[in-house]
Amino acid sequence: MNRVFHSKVIIFSLLFCLSFQNKSLAQLDNGQNHPKKDSLYQIIFDKDKSVSITTDAIKALNTFRIPMEDTIFQQIDKLILSKNCTPKDRVNLFHYYGIGYYRKGDYQNAERQLEQSYNSFKTYNQLDVDLAFFTNYGLVKNNLGKNNEAIPIYLEGIQIAEKARKNKDLGHLYTKLGDIYVNLKKYNDADNYYRQAVALGKKIKDQKVEAYALRGLGTSALNAGDYNKAVEIFKEAISIFESLQDGFMINDVKSFLAATYDEMGRYDAAEKLYDEAALYFKNSGYKGDLYYIAIDKGKHLIKKGDFKNAIKSCSYAKDNLLEIGDIFWATEAWKCMYEAAKKDRNYKDALTYYEGFIKYHDSLVNDKNIQKITELRKDFEFDKEKEKISIETTQKIEREKIFQKYMGLGLLLLSGLLFFAFRAYKTKQKANASILQKNIELEKYSQANENLIFSLSHDIKEPMLGVQLLLKKLKSEDEHIQKASESMGNQIASINSIVNNLLQLKKSSNTTQEGNVSHEMIVHTIDNIAKELNYKLVEKNIKLHNTVYHTPLLTLPISSQKLYLTLLNLINNAIKHSPYDSTIEIFAKSDGIYIRDFGSGIDPDTMAKIGKDNIDKDDYSGGSGMGLMLVSNLLAGTGVRLYFENLQGGTLAGIKLHS
């Protein structure tokens, strides 16, 4: 079953987008008469009140989810024409005017008024207006079957909400984009936006933003056929809405959970939830939602073999949905009627219903339409990326200065080592010639400042490895020369480690897109590191116990390159400090990824230096002592940090989200 959702989301979206400054008003969601509504009417028709105060009262009136009376429309007309109406008031008044028309089922006028709001905003060009008009403008467009027009509205709204730092509006816009991509069966794109909304809701501690996004994730899983995952997510969303005492959304999500049970063959459980939701919407006066439930009930009856009542239920929904202009859900009703007639072997009626379905469906979902939407999104992302270039360029220049400083230090140390290496090898003619040749090549490449990184990689690192090999082969009866040879070998190994760390740091810092690494990328990165370090694990007979794949919603605000370098250092250190025949555990929590070893732990003095000094220096294995310090610097400015803790019998290290 393709459980789409378009106009159904309008009603509850209007509630969270139009909350009044007075919290007691914003919490009203039962659609019943209330003394506060009478107070709002007094404000709206009070001639002594300013236009701005009257506008806020009209905004608050929308929280009652009731059709707007004609007297309110007339009052809005007067306010817009008033000489005291500011540009900000005009944007908001046209916005609420459009919502009023939507409540009356007049989608065409709703679109026109919201377009006026949009044009007024573009003229006013200030961010202090009610940015929810982007959400509602896109929703009305989508209702009218203009999803290729809704997409750029949502994308522009996201860009503006980011600039204004209005995270609640941003979260709702992410969810609305996800809704459209579910309808287009682009589930990966949909899930990407939903997860961003969930993360944002948690960040700003707004449970409504989080719950609406979870509802979307559940719907995506339902349409993709992952029913167990859908049930789990829907129940989580219901739990949050119950804590918020939001009766409307509790029953809305129940209808989706019922559809999931239908797909799983749990018909009794599905029918119970459908009946509960239908009774709630009927008693609360939400007629539109009764039409959606009627379609779901029709599909449910098809599964039970009651085809005639299925056609009757979906026909009732179709007639009412066409009357209010809800094309998306009318298409679903046509499809339901077709399926029922076909299974009832009433092929004549089935053909009629199928023609109705095709007539509306082809106007909404076709290859050309999907391609257009894809192009719109790519254009938006390109423009957004271009906007960041100036800031990122400045930051990159600052990073380059730091790299040059490190590289200069590396060259200075390297030059000193080459001098002593030359002195050590002067008793061996072939060794002297080899060192001299490599020294000439080093000087040649060090003159090109722009190629400094590549010189280190190909013309300094490799010669040093050659020198190190020659030093190992060098045997001398002179005890002093032999000791000098061994000492220089260790120092050259240390320099190679410095170069490796600097190259990894340069590679990761060159990444312009930080972004979020997905759960799939995290698991893939850990697997690759495990393969690279397998020889060390085998050497010490260490078992790697990885359970990160058990946390499918985990993402981290860090690039894949930085993730790789950080985990490589942490896992390598865990192996280094683990005893023979032991275990290393890699697991995830909601706040990060952790590596647990069962070694001797970290002494307090060293713990205080982690990420600041060269605490991982190793005179025997040739370590540079810069690994964790460079990683710590690499993570500066990201959303994560290094974390270390001594446990009973071992150490816990990890990448932790900033709290």
Side-chain angles (χ1 to χ4, degrees):
M1 176 193 329
N2 181 21
R3 183 66 152 80
V4 299
F5 54 140
H6 287 275
S7 59
K8 187 169 185 179
V9 297
I10 296 277
I11 297 177
F12 70 79
S13 297
L14 294 175
L15 175 63
F16 63 67
C17 291
L18 296 171
S19 57
F20 189 46
Q21 293 172 349
N22 184 334
K23 290 185 178 179
S24 64
L25 291 174
Q27 293 168 351
L28 293 171
D29 72 339
N30 57 9
Q32 306 299 320
N33 290 329
H34 193 281
K36 288 293 183 182
K37 184 168 78 73
D38 297 332
S39 300
L40 290 173
Y41 270 82
Q42 291 179 4
I43 295 173
I44 291 170
F45 293 103
D46 188 342
K47 296 181 180 179
D48 295 330
K49 298 294 183 184
S50 69
V51 175
S52 296
I53 292 176
T54 306
T55 301
D56 285 340
I58 294 171
K59 173 184 179 181
L61 190 64
N62 280 287
T63 62
F64 290 92
R65 289 199 182 102
I66 55 176
M68 192 178 289
E69 297 178 8
D70 290 341
T71 53
I72 302 295
F73 284 107
Q74 294 166 6
Q75 184 68 357
I76 293 176
D77 284 330
K78 292 179 182 179
L79 293 170
I80 291 174
L81 295 174
S82 169
K83 64 180 181 180
N84 296 322
C85 183
T86 66
K88 174 184 175 181
D89 293 329
R90 286 178 59 84
V91 175
N92 292 334
L93 283 168
F94 279 124
H95 176 192
Y96 308 143
Y97 210 158
I99 293 169
Y101 274 120
Y102 172 78
R103 290 274 171 75
K104 294 178 68 175
D106 188 347
Y107 289 5
Q108 299 293 339
N109 272 320
E111 180 186 27
R112 279 194 284 271
Q113 295 300 331
L114 285 163
E115 185 175 3
Q116 291 263 49
S117 177
Y118 176 79
N119 291 335
S120 297
F121 171 76
K122 299 299 284 187
T123 302
Y124 179 45
N125 198 27
Q126 297 295 321
L127 302 179
D128 58 346
V129 300
D130 183 357
L131 291 182
F133 81 84
F134 278 105
T135 302
N136 293 322
Y137 190 23
L139 286 167
V140 171
K141 287 281 191 184
N142 199 28
N143 254 102
L144 291 170
K146 302 177 181 180
N147 50 16
N148 60 334
E149 295 182 22
I151 288 279
I153 293 171
Y154 288 147
L155 292 174
E156 183 179 4
I158 287 173
Q159 191 175 35
I160 291 172
E162 287 175 342
K163 287 182 180 178
R165 297 183 179 179
K166 294 189 177 182
N167 289 325
K168 183 179 292 188
D169 290 312
L170 184 60
H172 296 326
L173 285 162
Y174 282 149
T175 299
K176 296 309 120 195
L177 265 179
D179 294 349
I180 287 184
Y181 282 108
V182 166
N183 296 328
L184 295 174
K185 301 182 181 180
K186 301 286 186 178
Y187 303 125
N188 289 335
D189 290 326
D191 289 353
N192 176 51
Y193 286 115
Y194 288 140
R195 289 195 182 100
Q196 289 186 72
V198 169
L200 194 58
K202 289 180 178 179
K203 178 182 177 181
I204 65 177
K205 298 180 180 179
D206 191 315
Q207 287 187 303
K208 279 194 173 183
V209 172
E210 180 183 356
Y212 286 127
L214 283 172
R215 170 187 178 275
L217 270 175
T219 307
S220 180
L222 168 58
N223 282 274
D226 193 346
Y227 304 130
N228 290 325
K229 179 180 178 182
V231 169
E232 180 184 346
I233 296 175
F234 284 143
K235 286 184 176 179
E236 184 179 356
I238 289 173
S239 176
I240 296 176
F241 284 125
E242 285 177 343
S243 70
L244 297 171
Q245 298 182 340
D246 190 334
F248 179 89
M249 285 308 302
I250 291 170
N251 286 277
D252 176 85
V253 181
K254 276 184 179 181
S255 68
F256 282 95
L257 182 56
T260 310
Y261 285 151
D262 252 345
E263 292 298 314
M264 299 172 75
R266 299 173 59 181
Y267 301 135
D268 291 341
E271 191 158 347
K272 180 182 177 183
L273 289 176
Y274 282 139
D275 290 342
E276 288 178 4
L279 181 62
Y280 174 84
F281 292 135
K282 180 179 179 181
N283 291 338
S284 303
Y286 304 135
K287 293 183 180 180
D289 290 270
L290 289 176
Y291 309 149
Y292 313 134
I293 294 291
I295 295 174
D296 291 336
K297 196 69 177 289
K299 296 177 180 180
H300 169 75
L301 291 169
I302 291 174
K303 293 181 183 296
K304 293 185 67 176
D306 190 353
F307 305 124
K308 289 182 172 52
N309 280 324
I311 292 173
K312 182 178 179 181
S313 181
C314 290
S315 179
Y316 158 77
K318 179 262 299 179
D319 292 341
N320 285 283
L321 289 166
L322 288 177
E323 184 177 346
I324 65 173
D326 193 331
I327 297 174
F328 282 100
W329 274 84
T331 301
E332 283 294 296
W334 280 116
K335 184 178 179 182
C336 170
M337 294 160 64
Y338 160 69
E339 293 290 343
K342 184 177 69 171
K343 291 187 177 182
D344 197 26
R345 297 187 178 182
N346 185 352
Y347 300 119
K348 181 179 178 182
D349 286 348
L351 178 60
T352 301
Y353 300 148
Y354 186 73
E355 289 174 347
F357 166 72
I358 291 298
K359 175 182 177 182
Y360 290 98
H361 183 269
D362 280 356
S363 67
L364 304 179
V365 182
N366 53 61
D367 291 340
K368 183 178 180 181
N369 196 18
I370 293 174
Q371 181 181 359
K372 176 63 176 176
I373 289 172
T374 302
E375 290 173 357
L376 287 168
R377 188 181 72 168
K378 288 182 178 178
D379 290 343
F380 167 77
E381 290 173 349
F382 175 77
D383 291 337
K384 184 178 178 182
E385 187 66 27
K386 193 167 61 175
E387 188 176 327
K388 294 180 180 179
I389 287 178
S390 59
I391 297 175
E392 291 176 346
T393 301
T394 302
Q395 294 174 342
K396 187 175 180 180
I397 291 173
E398 293 300 319
R399 290 197 299 267
E400 291 291 343
K401 291 179 180 178
I402 296 174
F403 298 144
Q404 293 292 338
K405 181 179 178 181
Y406 278 119
M407 296 307 169
L409 176 62
L411 283 174
L412 182 62
L413 292 174
L414 211 51
S415 297
L417 287 173
L418 285 172
F419 173 75
F420 287 110
F422 176 77
R423 291 286 302 274
Y425 280 110
K426 66 181 180 178
T427 59
K428 300 289 183 178
Q429 188 173 2
K430 289 184 179 180
N432 285 339
S434 176
I435 290 176
L436 181 60
Q437 182 62 31
K438 300 303 179 182
N439 192 34
I440 293 172
E441 292 179 6
L442 172 62
E443 291 176 358
K444 172 184 175 182
Y445 283 98
S446 64
Q447 293 174 2
N449 185 48
E450 292 182 357
N451 269 335
L452 186 56
I453 300 303
F454 299 103
S455 296
L456 282 172
S457 177
H458 299 290
D459 298 294
I460 296 177
K461 178 182 173 184
E462 294 303 325
M464 286 299 93
L465 289 174
V467 171
Q468 189 177 10
L469 290 172
L470 288 172
L471 283 171
K472 287 183 178 180
K473 294 180 179 180
L474 175 63
K475 302 294 181 181
S476 175
E477 295 179 358
D478 189 323
E479 180 181 356
H480 295 290
I481 293 178
Q482 187 66 32
K483 286 184 178 180
S485 174
E486 293 174 358
S487 175
M488 282 184 286
N490 289 333
Q491 292 183 58
I492 289 173
S494 179
I495 290 299
N496 276 334
S497 180
I498 289 176
V499 173
N500 282 332
N501 279 311
L502 291 176
L503 289 172
Q504 289 286 356
L505 177 61
K506 177 66 178 175
K507 180 181 178 182
S508 296
S509 298
N510 271 341
T511 303
T512 58
Q513 290 186 344
E514 199 69 59
N516 285 354
V517 289
S518 65
H519 174 260
E520 182 181 358
M521 178 57 72
I522 293 171
V523 172
H524 179 69
T525 299
I526 294 173
D527 288 342
N528 283 344
I529 292 173
K531 291 176 183 177
E532 291 180 24
L533 300 178
N534 185 60
Y535 74 97
K536 291 189 176 184
L537 295 169
V538 172
E539 188 178 89
K540 299 183 74 173
N541 197 28
I542 295 174
K543 295 180 180 178
L544 202 62
H545 185 54
N546 176 18
T547 59
V548 174
Y549 60 86
H550 288 315
T551 55
L553 294 181
L554 174 67
T555 61
L556 291 175
I558 183 176
S559 70
S560 58
Q561 292 90 346
K562 292 182 181 180
L563 175 70
Y564 169 81
L565 180 58
T566 305
L567 289 178
L568 179 65
N569 270 269
L570 295 180
I571 296 174
N572 194 39
N573 284 340
I575 296 172
K576 182 191 299 184
H577 298 292
S578 290
Y580 182 84
D581 198 19
S582 62
T583 300
I584 295 174
E585 297 176 353
I586 305 177
F587 60 93
K589 298 181 180 179
S590 60
D591 63 348
I593 302 174
Y594 298 90
I595 295 94
R596 165 64 154 117
D597 67 56
F598 294 88
S600 58
I602 306 173
D603 67 78
D605 291 339
T606 302
M607 181 75 78
K609 297 178 181 179
I610 291 179
K612 301 176 183 176
D613 297 328
N614 305 344
I615 53 88
D616 57 344
K617 173 74 175 174
D618 189 334
D619 292 332
Y620 299 100
S621 62
S624 70
M626 298 184 69
L628 289 177
M629 183 177 71
L630 290 178
V631 169
S632 181
N633 290 335
L634 189 65
L635 297 182
T638 69
V640 298
R641 60 183 174 84
L642 288 177
Y643 175 82
F644 292 90
E645 178 185 355
N646 274 328
L647 302 177
Q648 187 68 28
T651 304
L652 182 67
I655 309 172
K656 186 173 183 179
L657 292 168
H658 284 299
S659 55

